[in-house]
Amino acid sequence: MSAPARGSIRRRLMLQLLGGAAVLAVVLFLIVQSLARNLAQESQDNILAAAASAMLDTVAMQEGELQVDLPYAAFSMLSSLQGERVFYAIHAPSGLVTGYDDLAPLAGAGTRFATGVHRGEPMRMITATRRLALEQGALPVTVTLAQTRDGQSRIFEQIIAMAATLGTGLFLCVAVLAGLAARTSIGPILRLTQSVDRRGPQDLRPVTAPVPAEMAPLVGAINTFMDRLKVSLQRSEEFIAEAAHHVRTPLATVRTQAEITLRRVEKEENRASVREMIRAIDESSRAAGQLLDHAMVTFRTDHLEPEEIDLGQLAEETVERLRPMAELRDIDLAVVAPVPARIEGDRILVQSALRNVLDNAIKYSQPESDVTLTLDHDGAMARLQVRDRGIGFPEGGAAPLTGRFERGTNVEGVVGSGLGLTIAEEVVRAHGGHLLAGNNEEGPGACVTLCFPAL
Ligand SMILES: Nc1ncnc2c1ncn2[C@@H]1O[C@H](COP(=O)(O)OP(=O)(O)OP(=O)(O)O)[C@@H](O)[C@H]1O
Ligand SMILES: [Mg+2]
């Protein structure tokens, strides 16, 4: 079950990085814009100041009249900037000496600049003063220059366009990097999720794969939780095992007593009751035994310590142990092992799985029939196949009967607890194999196969 999700780390990270990048891009744009404006103005002012001073240098008093020899260099300097237009006026205290009479000097003292409108166009203006030293005293002469700003604005616009492209480029680069950063920072979380997800239900080993420092507390918490879960599972398995043991021992005593009683009782209806009692005791005892077996299987699959197993030898040993039980029903138990097969696994678990399948084959067969255990392998898988000539699986097949405590409708008074196939399946699964169960295609009876990855 997936937990309810609120928000997304990836989205939050992306939004934060993109927000930061957008602010950065805008700040960068504004800085470049103000720098460009200042630089453009400064360079225009420098040129205007140089031109004004060059013009003032040519002002002289000749024969009582102010003479100006307009320097060509000053004008070429001023119009060199992308064909700007220039207006000038030279004033003496007596009035305009030369130049445009609609260009008034700027108010103030020293060299002063202003941005204003002249003849309907935005212009940058300068007024500079020079004091001509004459016999009768100093004569202040001012030169006023006004220069259009078209070229400046064009350069300024180009710089702004460049800054905008730069800002957008920076934002796009950061967007790509943010995507990558978000993906890499989420990566370890996804890997951890997958590694925990891939595990089998019994796998409660701690997570040992290295994780980033920020995730260490989370992994620590998961490991502690798994540890606690493992301990509590182990406790309940031990409890089941102990309980089963405690139940079986007195049950064995009760059964012996019941059998003794049966021999003594003569009245048929009393005998039937005692027989019923013995059957109930057998059911309980079997259930306790199977519960014990199942707890053992669960415990051992948790702590699987695989060893190399010769399946042929294991099959022989298991069949020999069950032979007395088969003989009680005159069932012939045969092992057919034409090829040797080896697997890696837990011997006790594999034996337990095979014992349960053989036990079923014997239990659900008519007396005097035969059960064959065939061992074969095809390179990848080694198979232990148990075939009987009994009643076969009921309608609905074997699949639902591998569930815990599931018994078929075909059991007809046969003692059992419904755990045999569960045990067998859990064992093969723990070994990376699978269980196949069904009825014989030719003739009556069932065929159950335990498949293990072969060595
Ligand atoms: N060889 C077989 N032939 C016919 N039916 C079978 C065979 N093996 C299993 N079954 C059916 O599958 C059911 C489940 O088998 P399983 O071994 O899990 O339980 P069980 O034999 O009833 O009890 P126990 O836990 O004592 O083995 C059985 O109750 C039976 O109906
Ligand atoms: Mg069984």
Side-chain angles (χ1 to χ4, degrees):
M1 194 188 85
S2 58
R6 187 191 293 162
S8 147
I9 297 183
R10 186 197 296 242
R11 208 176 314 136
R12 207 175 304 161
L13 208 66
M14 282 287 286
L15 282 179
Q16 280 171 359
L17 288 171
L18 288 182
V23 170
L24 240 138
V26 171
V27 168
L28 181 84
F29 175 78
L30 291 177
I31 289 176
V32 172
Q33 188 189 40
S34 115
L35 262 176
R37 186 178 290 134
N38 287 346
L39 270 174
Q41 186 139 317
E42 217 173 277
S43 68
Q44 190 175 22
D45 287 356
N46 286 342
I47 293 169
L48 279 173
S53 130
M55 283 168 88
L56 280 175
D57 281 350
T58 65
V59 178
M61 183 66 88
Q62 278 178 10
E63 294 160 13
E65 273 196 26
L66 274 175
Q67 295 288 324
V68 184
D69 182 14
L70 285 180
Y72 172 75
F75 284 99
S76 75
M77 190 160 42
L78 288 169
S79 53
S80 68
L81 272 174
Q82 315 248 337
E84 300 284 14
R85 273 165 305 127
V86 188
F87 302 88
Y88 74 95
I90 296 177
H91 290 87
S94 52
L96 180 72
V97 180
T98 176
Y100 296 86
D101 56 2
D102 57 349
L103 188 62
L106 296 172
T111 306
R112 51 239 182 237
F113 295 93
T115 305
V117 177
H118 180 67
R119 297 192 175 187
E121 277 191 67
M123 299 218 183
R124 185 70 178 163
M125 292 186 257
I126 180 175
T127 297
T129 310
R130 181 182 161 205
R131 292 183 174 279
L132 271 185
L134 301 177
E135 282 168 13
Q136 55 270 46
L139 179 72
V141 180
T142 63
V143 60
T144 305
L145 289 172
Q147 190 186 27
T148 52
R149 311 184 74 204
D150 299 347
Q152 295 291 343
S153 320
R154 236 172 290 132
I155 293 173
F156 180 63
E157 272 160 24
Q158 277 169 10
I159 294 176
I160 289 302
M162 217 170 73
T165 320
L166 212 97
T168 317
L170 177 90
F171 179 76
L172 290 178
C173 281
V174 174
V176 172
L177 289 177
L180 282 176
R183 193 193 295 176
T184 15
S185 31
I186 295 297
I189 300 180
L190 293 181
R191 278 197 293 281
L192 176 69
T193 313
Q194 279 168 2
S195 89
V196 175
D197 247 12
R198 263 202 307 267
R199 292 172 168 220
Q202 312 280 349
D203 190 350
L204 294 174
R205 282 172 301 143
V207 177
T208 50
V211 289
E214 292 79 0
M215 276 172 64
L218 170 69
V219 172
I222 294 178
N223 285 348
T224 317
F225 176 72
M226 293 228 258
D227 252 2
R228 286 210 305 266
L229 195 65
K230 202 165 161 183
V231 169
S232 99
L233 270 178
Q234 208 162 319
R235 253 192 233 139
S236 59
E237 274 155 22
E238 279 165 12
F239 177 76
I240 293 170
E242 246 174 80
H245 183 72
H246 281 290
V247 170
R248 272 215 303 185
T249 322
L251 274 179
T253 320
V254 175
R255 194 184 197 284
T256 321
Q257 294 302 323
E259 270 179 358
I260 294 169
T261 314
L262 184 64
R263 265 185 243 133
R264 288 198 197 125
V265 172
E266 281 176 10
K267 218 171 158 189
E268 193 41 46
E269 57 189 83
N270 290 348
R271 286 177 68 82
S273 299
V274 178
R275 261 192 235 107
E276 198 55 41
M277 210 166 90
I278 291 175
R279 206 194 119 70
I281 294 166
D282 284 346
E283 290 269 4
S284 313
S285 181
R286 173 71 183 171
Q290 287 293 79
L291 278 174
L292 188 69
D293 234 21
H294 186 247
M296 182 274 293
V297 166
T298 316
F299 183 77
R300 288 188 80 99
T301 49
D302 266 355
H303 306 85
L304 210 59
E305 279 167 20
E307 53 175 318
E308 203 176 310
I309 306 171
D310 176 350
L311 274 191
Q313 192 195 350
L314 182 137
E316 288 288 356
E317 282 170 16
T318 318
V319 163
E320 282 324 305
R321 277 196 208 159
L322 285 171
R323 206 174 285 288
M325 178 184 153
E327 276 168 2
L328 278 181
R329 310 194 71 219
D330 283 329
I331 289 172
D332 185 26
L333 257 184
V335 181
V336 181
V339 282
R342 312 183 79 77
I343 62 161
E344 188 152 274
D346 184 312
R347 179 180 296 275
I348 293 177
L349 288 184
V350 178
Q351 251 171 1
S352 170
L354 183 59
R355 189 177 57 242
N356 271 290
V357 174
L358 282 169
D359 177 74
N360 283 349
I362 298 167
K363 268 199 316 198
Y364 302 112
S365 287
Q366 281 85 9
E368 293 178 22
S369 65
D370 44 48
V371 170
T372 318
L373 167 59
T374 314
L375 168 66
D376 77 316
H377 81 94
D378 63 2
M381 296 304 262
R383 284 183 285 262
L384 285 167
Q385 189 176 69
V386 177
R387 205 180 279 274
D388 63 58
R389 296 180 190 284
I391 51 177
F393 284 100
E395 221 171 289
L401 301 175
T402 53
R404 279 184 194 179
F405 303 108
E406 294 293 346
R407 302 203 71 204
T409 47
N410 59 347
V411 293
E412 287 173 5
V414 177
V415 171
S417 59
L419 279 172
L421 287 180
T422 314
I423 291 172
E425 186 166 55
E426 279 180 15
V427 169
V428 286
R429 284 255 169 95
H431 286 79
H434 55 272
L435 179 131
L436 298 171
N439 285 332
N440 288 328
E441 276 150 24
E442 300 145 13
C447 175
V448 179
T449 313
L450 305 174
C451 307
F452 297 94
L455 267 187

